[in-house]
Structures are given as structure tokens and as C-alpha cells.
Amino acid sequence: MGIMIAANSTDGSGSRFDALLVLSFGGPEQPADVRPFLENVTRGRGVPPERLDAVTEHYLHFGGVSPINALNRDIISRVESELVSAGMDLPVYFGNRNWHPMVEDAVARMGADGVRSALVFPTSAWGGYSGCRQYHEDVARARAAAGDGAPHLLKLRQYYDHPLLIGAFADAVREAAAQLPAGRRAGARLVFTAHSVPVSADVNAGPPTEGGHLYSRQVAEAARLTARAAGFDDFDLVWQSRSGPPQVPWLEPDICDHLDALAGRGVGAVIVCPVGFVSDHLEVVWDLDTEARDRAAELGIDFVRAATPGTDRRFAELVVALVAEQLAGAPAERLGSEPLLGSTLDGRSCAVDCCKAVVRPSGRPAHTH
């Protein structure tokens, strides 16, 4: 990267940053974990047991193990190497919202280790309640649980349009396209997907002064930037992984419904890029690699899926670039034009009523990690 900077900037509390916390969603790592994990995710939301039974079967299809924790540990290992290369003396901690290692335990351990002030990297690039504000709530809850010894925690900004992220997605799109039969490539349709959320949640995404819809606007901008970088003039943006009763509107169209529409137009091949996800966790390997791929096969559509960027070397570089940007007080390196928020101290929201929570319908919770 060529960045050499000491980790001696302050967080506004007068303390130097002396650690980095990677904060994620969490997932089960053995069959016995699945039901308790899902109960953590849905606590207080009135989700019926039969819905939890259905989602449990998705996890058990993969041996009761979500890939997300292992993928995050791999990211952390590469981030640690990048930090050393950049001359940054920052130990990296790992905490989750919904399953072990829990963020409360990670922050308590940080305090016991003498960490006084740390940066927080969330495994979500986006604005919105699930993509951003809920991470602020995680920070505030973990600090409250740690008590007087809790370190100050500064969450790093949203990064949906960072050049390293867009470059990784664009290369993945090109590599996926190359997997199609030569005769199908020219007519293949590029389709971007991201986790759907209730329309009401998207309306409330971002500060009211920014007009709402920050999540869907950022996803659309990331898709546009990736398509352009990959050499595509046209593309579709669709959604996936919705839950809840059909009468409650969520962002649409759904990926499988869109495949039906493409088949009706005579499209014979699709390149699907999960631009809303940084890693191949359950929503990717089940909703895309299983359900959407099977639907495409039924329709006679050749289906290839672009890799997520978490395993790309540039993702670890991105994390360290965001750290260096914060330490140096440098302008955000970015390609897009939608609002860029998300960096606050100790769990504060970005603005009054920014990305406020909405009551979600029963079903699998929306999350955009």
C-alpha cells in the first residue's frame, strides 16, 4: 500500500487509538448453535417457531455451520499482516452481534488488556438501520456491559464506493463472465443483488435532511460503479433474502422473480454479483448459490456468480486504508456521490433520527452485513 503512519491520532477523548475491533453479525459454527443463534437474532420480534424451523433447515443444509465466522477470521489474519506492513502497531479484536465471539466479551477483553481507545471496522459497507445504526447500538451496548473500564470506540465510515471495494467487485464480475460458454457471453445479463429490507426501513435510512433511502441509493451507486469498471453499459439491480408476510412491502424485485422475467425475454445467461455482501455467508450460499442457481437451471439460464470481495487481498487493504484515513484525518477516498456517513464515537448516531429503527414483520430479520 505504501502507507506508513503511526497509530497516534486521537478519538476526540484525548486518547490515542491503540486497537482495532472487527465487528460483525456472527453465525453458528456447529449444529447445536443454530437454534440459539437464531433466537438471539430474532429476540423480541415475535417470530413464530415455524419460521425459525425453516431457517434452521437452511443452516443444517450446510452442516449447521455458517461460513461467516471463518471468513471473518481470515479477513482479520490478512488485516493483521497489512497493519504490520503499514507500520501500524494495532492489535485486532473480533466481536459479533449475535453469536460468539460476542462483542460484549471482545470489548470487555479490550478493557482488561489496557486498550483505552479503538477503531471499529464493521463488516457492512452501507447506511441504513441494519447496515449502520445497529452497529452503533452494538458499540453502545458493549461499552455499557464493560462498565467503567470500557475503551472509547470510534466506528469507521461507510465504504460502499471505496476504489478498492469497487475494483474487487469489478474483477470478480469479469472473472465470472469468463466462466460462461463463449457463445453465451455477449448476451449475458449482469444482475446485482443486495439484501432486501422493508420499504419503510429504506425510507428511514439516513438523516431526514438527506431524503431517506440511503441504503438503496448507495447499493445502486455501487452497482453502477462496478458495472462501469467491469466494462458493462447496462445492468439490473434486484434484491434477495426478504422475509415476512407478503402484504408488507420490501425492496423488489426478488432475484428469483427477476430470473423468471429474464427467461420470458429470452435471456440465456446471467452474471450475478452480490454487491450487497462482503463475504460468502448464508444469504449468498443459500439464496444465490442454491435457490437462485436452481431456479436458473429450471429456466434453462446459464448462471454464474461473482465472488464476494472478502477473500480478495484488496479487502484487507481497504480496512487498513480506512484506518490510515482516520488516523491521518485525510479526505475519504471514494468514487461515488451519495452521502457518506457512519463514523461516530461510542455508539452515537450520525444525526437526529438517522436510520431509526422500524418494527419489522415476523420472519428472518433483515441484515446487510
Side-chain angles (χ1 to χ4, degrees):
M1 289 176 53
I3 298 172
M4 296 292 289
I5 182 167
N8 59 4
S9 298
T10 66
D11 62 358
S13 66
S15 301
R16 68 188 294 272
F17 294 112
D18 43 20
L20 173 67
L21 170 64
V22 173
L23 178 57
S24 193
F25 190 82
E29 297 189 85
Q30 59 181 343
D33 295 344
V34 175
R35 192 61 179 237
F37 161 74
L38 292 175
E39 289 170 354
N40 278 350
V41 174
T42 59
R43 182 174 291 117
R45 294 178 182 166
V47 178
E50 56 270 23
R51 178 57 188 163
L52 293 186
D53 292 341
V55 180
T56 295
E57 288 304 312
H58 295 173
Y59 282 95
L60 294 179
H61 180 83
F62 299 101
V65 178
S66 168
I68 190 170
N69 274 0
L71 291 166
N72 282 329
R73 291 187 182 103
D74 180 63
I75 289 170
I76 287 168
S77 176
R78 286 180 285 111
V79 167
E80 289 171 335
S81 296
E82 286 291 327
L83 287 168
V84 170
S85 297
M88 298 184 194
D89 183 17
L90 289 175
V92 183
Y93 293 80
F94 177 29
N96 288 319
R97 178 183 305 155
N98 294 302
W99 200 246
H100 307 284
M102 303 297 290
V103 64
E104 293 90 342
D105 297 333
V107 172
R109 188 170 70 255
M110 293 165 74
D113 290 346
V115 174
R116 302 271 50 89
S117 188
L119 295 168
V120 180
F121 175 80
T123 58
S124 168
W126 314 102
Y129 177 72
S130 297
C132 185
R133 181 160 179 168
Q134 202 167 8
Y135 286 90
H136 295 301
E137 293 176 357
D138 296 337
V139 165
R141 185 183 67 254
R143 293 191 75 250
D148 292 340
H152 292 286
L153 299 172
L154 181 68
K155 180 179 171 291
L156 294 167
R157 65 168 175 88
Q158 296 153 12
Y159 50 92
Y160 76 95
D161 63 348
H162 195 284
L164 290 170
L165 187 73
I166 298 300
F169 272 125
D171 284 351
V173 166
R174 285 190 288 264
E175 290 165 7
Q179 298 170 21
L180 287 169
R184 294 274 198 162
R185 290 175 199 164
R189 190 70 185 168
L190 176 58
V191 179
F192 291 96
T193 71
H195 203 303
S196 186
V197 298
V199 170
S200 56
D202 192 51
V203 168
N204 288 316
T209 54
E210 297 289 351
H213 304 279
L214 183 61
Y215 172 58
S216 61
R217 287 158 55 193
Q218 288 181 340
V219 170
E221 183 79 335
R224 182 187 69 82
L225 293 167
T226 299
R228 184 178 67 184
F232 285 77
D233 296 326
D234 200 12
F235 64 89
D236 300 324
L237 173 59
V238 304
W239 306 91
Q240 63 172 90
S241 311
R242 71 150 289 162
S243 61
Q247 65 270 24
V248 176
W250 284 51
L251 296 177
E252 295 179 336
D254 176 77
I255 175 64
C256 288
D257 293 338
H258 188 62
L259 290 172
D260 291 343
L262 291 178
R265 288 161 39 193
V267 173
V270 295
I271 306 156
V272 176
C273 176
V275 74
F277 302 88
V278 302
S279 294
D280 283 11
H281 42 73
L282 193 76
E283 284 77 14
V284 175
V285 298
W286 176 263
D287 296 341
L288 293 183
D289 293 350
T290 306
E291 289 188 332
R293 188 181 297 276
D294 288 350
R295 184 60 182 150
E298 293 170 4
L299 296 167
I301 295 175
D302 286 334
F303 181 104
V304 291
R305 199 261 294 172
T308 48
T311 55
D312 190 294
R313 61 172 177 77
R314 284 168 289 192
F315 194 77
E317 292 177 4
L318 162 65
V319 178
V320 177
L322 293 177
V323 169
E325 177 185 291
Q326 182 65 48
L327 298 181
E333 187 177 1
R334 57 182 312 210
L335 298 173
S337 58
E338 294 296 345
L340 197 64
L341 304 165
S343 182
T344 70
L345 182 66
D346 293 342
R348 298 166 190 158
S349 62
C350 297
V352 175
D353 288 334
C354 183
C355 300
K356 62 184 178 182
V358 295
V359 177
R360 293 202 183 94
S362 296
R364 184 170 61 191
H367 47 275
T368 53
H369 55 291

